[in-house]
Amino acid sequence: MSERGAKATKRTLWSRAEDMALKAPPERNRYVDFLRAFSILAVVIGHWLVAAPYIEGGAVQGGHLLGILPWTQWLTWGFQVMPIFFLVGGFSHALSWSANQRKNGSYAGWFTGRLRRLINPVLPLFLIWTVFALFGTAIGVDRKIVELATQLALIPVWFLAVYLMVGAVVPITHAAWKRFGMASFWALVACAIAIDAATFSLNIAYVNFVNFAFIWLAVHQLGYAWSEGYFSNSFRALTWGIGGLTALGLLVGFGPYPIAMIGVPGEAVSNSMPPTIALLALGIAQTGFALALEPAARRMLDNIKLWTGVVLLNGMIMTTYLWHLTAFVLVMVAAWLLGGIGLDVDPGSATWWLARPIWFALYIAALLPLIMIFAKYEQGGAGGAEADRADLPHWRLMVGLVFVCAGLAATAAISIASPLGVTGVRLWVVAMPFIGAAFIGFGPAHKLARRLR
């Protein structure tokens, strides 16, 4: 692209975002959008930082900074911001579901549109990495390399599986909030504590996976509380922040929970996969501190340039989240093809830290074209407005949801790449999100699904 073309594109993107920013109603809480944008940047930076590959004995090793430098595990208390996503999700769901009820809208119409908009951007990612795994295996690329690259690039999809399930039960959780208020939050906290007790005291296998529901639903309830002004008092919000941080310190200091709020290779316990009450305590702390800053932040966002930047990033937020590790993999592959340039430095050394700005610039350079190509799938995509207005039969909606979430969960857990078989791909894992999309109604898949009515 020429320099003039790049500037024109930049102006177009910025002008479009500025138009949207100026049209935002004055009652809109801009801080919600800011937290969403801030969180995605924290996730991207965190992932790019902790992945520390290096060459040893002529082979690329998948280093992990948290295992190499244990002190960096404390940084995850700031970079693990998934609780903020669910907090913001609760706020947004409260407003949209309440508006849907006021209009006498249906659950199917409300959730189908949200489901399509969240899943539509992930399908191209699945398709491209499936093609890579298929052809990489066919041309003789080592299957371990194919599996490592594919699993790394598709790590982000786990979040969508959980978030979609949380969104699916909004009518129930919002009704519980309306009836019981904060008691609905504390009930979920009690359930999460019981699950951790069963895990660490009674050694009941796999029961801890239930906390994917209890913990993220609990944080989601705090979003409902935020939407109705529970945290409008900054002192109350700050008290929650201090309380959550204190609980986290006690759990890490005296309990079985590690310092890192994400999984660390070699650690027996992970605070995120599945989530523990230590991660819930972090979510409470982040909620409190973030909402204590809300009044000042909302005044800051009156600046139209800053608000336009937030709008711009929110318009490509899912694309950025889904493709940032693909950009990372592309840069690593290029470095390897160039003889391992830059990969002969020991992770965590002074030279390694000094080189981070250069590597980050390369990651951004690789990510921007991906955003330009794939952001269109985030802007509405194949389903279209007409599809969003159509109510699907509930059975189709639920079957589609199960297939999509099962496929995303399996991808995060075992990868689409397989060390066995002719294709080198777990085709059944790849197929599930697309089967789910067919039931829910995406573009050409929608025509197929209509025959099932």
Side-chain angles (χ1 to χ4, degrees), residues 29-96:
N29 188 335
R30 298 180 178 184
Y31 192 48
V32 176
D33 300 280
F34 174 84
L35 283 181
R36 189 183 293 113
F38 173 83
S39 298
I40 200 67
L41 290 178
V43 169
V44 170
I45 292 170
H47 281 165
W48 284 350
L49 191 62
V50 300
Y54 59 95
I55 288 182
E56 184 177 73
V60 178
Q61 306 295 326
H64 197 290
L65 188 63
L66 302 187
I68 296 169
L69 293 179
W71 68 264
T72 60
Q73 295 178 19
W74 292 101
L75 299 179
T76 63
W77 291 28
F79 282 103
Q80 170 55 292
V81 291
M82 281 303 165
I84 297 295
F85 276 108
F86 284 92
L87 174 73
V88 169
F91 184 101
S92 300
H93 283 150
L95 296 187
S96 63

Side-chain angles (χ1 to χ4, degrees), residues 110-342:
W110 175 81
F111 186 59
T112 302
R114 302 185 74 82
L115 183 55
R116 288 193 181 114
R117 287 190 292 273
L118 283 171
I119 292 303
N120 202 45
V122 83
L123 296 182
L125 182 72
F126 257 69
L127 186 60
I128 286 176
W129 277 102
T130 299
V131 171
F132 166 79
L134 282 169
F135 282 92
T137 301
I139 65 177
V141 178
D142 188 286
R143 289 198 176 193
K144 289 184 179 179
I145 294 177
V146 172
E147 187 172 11
L148 178 63
T150 304
Q151 187 163 30
L152 178 61
L154 294 176
I155 282 174
V157 303
W158 77 264
F159 162 73
L160 286 176
V162 180
Y163 190 79
L164 287 171
M165 296 301 289
V166 169
V169 296
V170 160
I172 298 173
T173 57
H174 192 253
W177 165 257
K178 286 295 187 180
R179 181 170 181 179
F180 302 110
M182 286 304 296
S184 65
F185 164 76
W186 291 113
L188 290 165
V189 172
C191 290
I193 292 172
I195 292 298
D196 269 19
T199 299
F200 295 108
S201 298
L202 303 178
N203 296 315
I204 300 177
Y206 303 114
V207 71
N208 52 344
F209 283 88
V210 179
N211 266 344
F212 271 115
F214 290 141
I215 287 176
W216 294 126
L217 284 171
V219 178
H220 194 259
Q221 293 297 106
L222 292 180
Y224 293 157
W226 177 21
S227 72
E228 296 195 1
Y230 181 83
F231 293 102
S232 57
N233 184 303
S234 295
F235 179 76
R236 171 184 277 181
L238 186 61
T239 300
W240 273 73
I242 294 171
L245 188 61
T246 301
L248 177 58
L250 292 173
L251 289 168
V252 169
F254 299 99
Y257 305 99
I259 294 169
M261 293 294 112
I262 64 173
V264 178
E267 289 280 356
V269 177
S270 168
N271 278 318
S272 61
M273 292 290 172
T276 66
I277 58 172
L279 186 56
L280 175 57
L282 176 68
I284 293 171
Q286 290 180 344
T287 296
F289 291 133
L291 298 187
L293 295 172
E294 181 179 7
R298 293 183 72 169
R299 290 193 295 271
M300 176 184 70
L301 290 167
D302 287 336
N303 182 303
I304 189 60
K305 289 186 177 180
L306 180 58
W307 171 231
T308 299
V310 170
V311 171
L312 178 63
L313 184 53
N314 270 272
M316 57 185 70
I317 199 162
M318 278 296 298
T319 309
T320 302
Y321 174 74
L322 290 172
W323 289 93
H324 74 280
L325 286 176
T326 295
F328 176 89
V329 171
L330 291 175
V331 172
M332 290 299 105
V333 169
W336 178 69
L337 291 174
L338 292 172
I341 184 170

Side-chain angles (χ1 to χ4, degrees), residues 332-404:
M332 290 299 105
V333 169
W336 178 69
L337 291 174
L338 292 172
I341 184 170
L343 298 177
D344 55 351
V345 178
D346 291 334
S349 64
T351 304
W352 185 89
W353 283 106
L354 289 172
R356 287 312 90 196
I358 298 173
W359 283 103
F360 272 50
L362 293 173
Y363 302 150
I364 293 170
L367 178 59
L368 287 177
L370 296 174
I371 292 175
M372 297 299 294
I373 294 169
F374 295 106
K376 62 184 178 182
Y377 294 98
E378 188 174 349
Q379 308 301 328
E386 182 180 349
D388 281 351
R389 288 194 297 267
D391 275 8
L392 293 177
H394 281 195
W395 71 269
R396 264 185 54 193
L397 183 58
M398 291 300 105
V399 170
L401 177 67
V402 169
F403 268 103
V404 166

